[in-house]
Amino acid sequence: MPASRILVALATYNEIENVPALVDAIFQALPTADILVIDDNSPDGTGQWCDERATSEPRLACLHRPGKQGLGSATMAGLRWSLDKAYGVVVTMDADWSHDPRHLPELVHAVEAADVAIGSRYCDGGQIDVWPLHRRVMSRTINCLSRLLLRLPVGDTSGAFRAYRVAALQIIELSNVQAAGSSYLAEILWHLHRSGATFHEVPITFRERRAGKSKVNLHEAVAKISTLIRLAKTGNP
């Protein structure tokens, strides 16, 4: 595992049922890592819990935002935090247990040989556990379009479980990532690919959230396709 400082960034909105145990599991998997929770003023008290826990846990911090601004916007805030605080590696993952923390050491280790390591559902050994057909079809379609239109050299372009070398993020201008929602996932890979970044996929088992309400909807799917078309018109490497 790299000796450089590691940050795990969690974007949250109403995840109080998931975050406390997830924070403990992340620290167990990566004892030397820090965790940043980016909370969009969750009405359920997610941000308040983080503040209380941070009083006794120096590895945990919470960035409070005034309201719900989207996964992409929150994640960009976490990536900028990693740049500002001079971390070596920043990991992003869902805050609902869709991404199992046990994969974290392998994911972080993979950025020894690549600029971006992707926890992949669509490489050899990757799996999706208990997903309805319409979500499987939507996910496969978005990933196929991403590879076709943007020429991205990875199988899973829409998963948020990733480890980035902060040095690779310094090369691109994060403000150029325009998508506020989950369509940022393909857009940031596109910018990184254009900059010459290298990628490695680590097989994971993706599971449905443990608790709370899913934020996946038709609007997000439409936004993803719009983002792909916008980027394809800009041009590919």
Side-chain angles (χ1 to χ4, degrees):
M1 191 178 297
S4 54
R5 296 169 64 229
I6 302 165
L7 177 70
V8 179
L10 300 174
T12 61
Y13 185 77
N14 285 348
E15 296 291 358
I16 191 61
E17 296 176 275
N18 294 306
V19 165
L22 181 61
V23 164
D24 289 339
I26 292 170
F27 283 141
Q28 184 174 4
L30 294 176
T32 63
D34 294 333
I35 298 175
L36 173 68
V37 174
I38 307 100
D39 187 68
D40 279 2
N41 197 24
S42 297
D44 70 352
T46 301
Q48 289 88 332
W49 177 88
C50 291
D51 284 342
E52 292 171 5
R53 177 67 185 274
T55 61
S56 60
E57 177 49 82
R59 295 173 294 174
L60 176 66
C62 186
L63 176 61
H64 295 274
R65 306 202 312 165
K68 192 175 182 181
Q69 301 172 43
L71 176 65
S73 172
T75 304
M76 289 301 111
L79 298 183
R80 285 191 292 271
W81 180 286
S82 75
L83 289 166
D84 293 342
K85 304 295 185 182
Y87 284 91
V89 175
V90 56
V91 179
T92 61
M93 61 188 297
D94 290 346
D96 60 5
W97 288 92
S98 295
H99 301 140
D100 193 328
R102 69 183 175 87
H103 294 297
L104 282 168
E106 185 179 4
L107 197 66
V108 171
H109 181 74
V111 293
E112 288 185 345
D115 294 309
V116 185
I118 298 173
S120 178
R121 301 159 291 183
Y122 301 129
C123 67
D124 288 344
Q127 301 179 59
I128 296 174
D129 184 38
V130 192
W131 243 17
L133 179 61
H134 73 277
R135 286 197 65 182
R136 291 178 182 269
V137 171
M138 182 171 67
S139 178
R140 284 286 189 180
T141 300
I142 292 296
N143 277 281
C144 287
L145 286 173
S146 298
R147 292 192 299 272
L148 177 65
L149 295 177
L150 307 186
R151 301 177 187 173
L152 294 175
V154 296
D156 195 337
T157 66
S158 62
F161 200 12
R162 300 173 178 175
Y164 301 90
R165 281 186 185 175
V166 173
L169 297 177
Q170 290 173 330
I171 296 173
I172 66 172
E173 180 53 63
L174 291 180
S175 63
N176 289 332
V177 180
Q178 299 178 26
S182 60
S183 50
Y184 93 89
L185 290 160
E187 183 169 357
I188 193 170
L189 292 184
W190 181 79
H191 285 287
L192 286 161
H193 184 40
R194 285 166 62 90
S195 75
T198 56
F199 303 89
H200 179 79
E201 292 188 88
V202 174
I204 65 164
T205 298
F206 182 92
R207 294 185 168 87
E208 194 55 271
R209 63 166 45 246
R210 279 193 181 181
K213 184 178 180 181
S214 174
K215 300 166 183 72
V216 176
N217 54 48
L218 182 60
H219 174 76
E220 282 286 349
V222 172
K224 288 178 181 180
I225 293 173
S226 298
T227 295
L228 297 181
I229 293 172
R230 169 173 59 83
L231 296 176
K233 287 180 177 179
T234 303
N236 293 308

